[in-house]
Amino acid sequence: MKKIKLFSLLIILTLLISCTTKSDLFIQNLMSKDVLFKVTYNIDINELSELPDYGSNHFEVDYKKGILNPKEFSKIKDVNIIEKQQLNNNTLSILIPENSTVRIEETFNMSYIHYIDYIEYDNKKLSINDLIDLSKRQKQSNYIFMIKSVNNKI
């Protein structure tokens, strides 16, 4: 009986350890103007597609009109694509449309926090940790950062 309990415990622990959680990073532009958003990575951008948590379409961003939570975002089947512009080996820029929700990162287990160094918009620079701290957390480790004004007073 002890062997069965021990075996069951090992199986449960193995399942818990091997679980991965999809974690997306969303930007909501609440302003009535487009916002240029720059993402600077601490590795070469071309290496991102080789990482197990990143997809090969890392130069494309999904966006949808309106201010949506992650559940609403995933329910809308019409996908609008914004191309990221590569500024140098480590930086991409994204023009986020007014009054829209954009998914800028789609990884597992928040792995993007290990690769994003900082973001910039409207002459403001935030580390990835500061961005996460200022973001609203949703279920399944999704984070939503809101751009409310030029100064982004929350």
Side-chain angles (χ1 to χ4, degrees):
M1 187 67 157
K2 284 187 177 185
K3 288 183 180 182
I4 292 174
K5 286 184 179 179
L6 181 61
F7 182 72
S8 297
L9 181 63
L10 286 173
I11 287 177
I12 291 171
L13 286 174
T14 302
L15 287 173
L16 289 175
I17 291 171
S18 65
C19 289
T20 57
T21 303
K22 186 174 180 273
S23 53
D24 298 341
L25 179 59
F26 293 91
I27 307 297
Q28 293 177 334
N29 183 2
L30 282 70
M31 296 177 58
S32 58
K33 69 171 189 159
D34 296 349
V35 174
L36 184 63
F37 201 81
K38 295 179 188 175
V39 182
T40 301
Y41 296 86
N42 54 23
I43 65 170
D44 189 304
I45 293 166
N46 296 316
E47 294 176 26
L48 289 175
S49 60
E50 298 169 14
L51 297 171
D53 288 345
Y54 274 87
S56 59
N57 66 339
H58 193 68
F59 289 96
E60 293 180 346
V61 174
D62 295 344
Y63 92 95
K64 305 210 171 135
K65 275 305 227 184
I67 305 305
L68 308 170
N69 65 40
K71 188 174 183 178
E72 294 168 330
F73 190 92
S74 63
K75 282 184 180 179
I76 298 174
K77 299 301 177 201
D78 292 334
V79 177
N80 299 308
I81 302 290
I82 300 174
E83 297 253 345
K84 293 180 183 177
Q85 301 298 316
Q86 186 169 350
L87 302 179
N88 58 40
N89 289 345
N90 299 66
T91 305
L92 295 173
S93 70
I94 309 155
L95 188 61
I96 300 176
E98 64 182 87
N99 192 35
S100 67
T101 303
V102 177
R103 178 174 46 208
I104 64 166
E105 293 292 348
E106 185 176 10
T107 65
F108 293 100
N109 299 331
M110 289 184 64
S111 65
Y112 55 80
I113 65 171
H114 302 293
Y115 304 110
I116 295 177
D117 191 11
Y118 59 90
I119 61 98
E120 294 177 87
Y121 72 99
D122 284 335
N123 297 317
K124 191 170 192 173
K125 185 175 176 179
L126 292 171
S127 72
I128 187 61
N129 292 326
D130 290 341
L131 180 80
I132 295 299
D133 288 344
L134 293 170
S135 298
K136 186 167 83 171
R137 183 172 186 217
Q138 294 284 310
K139 291 180 182 178
Q140 299 176 340
S141 299
N142 292 320
Y143 284 86
I144 302 169
F145 180 74
M146 291 184 245
I147 301 173
K148 293 184 179 183
S149 68
V150 174
N151 296 325
N152 204 43
K153 292 183 180 177
I154 297 175

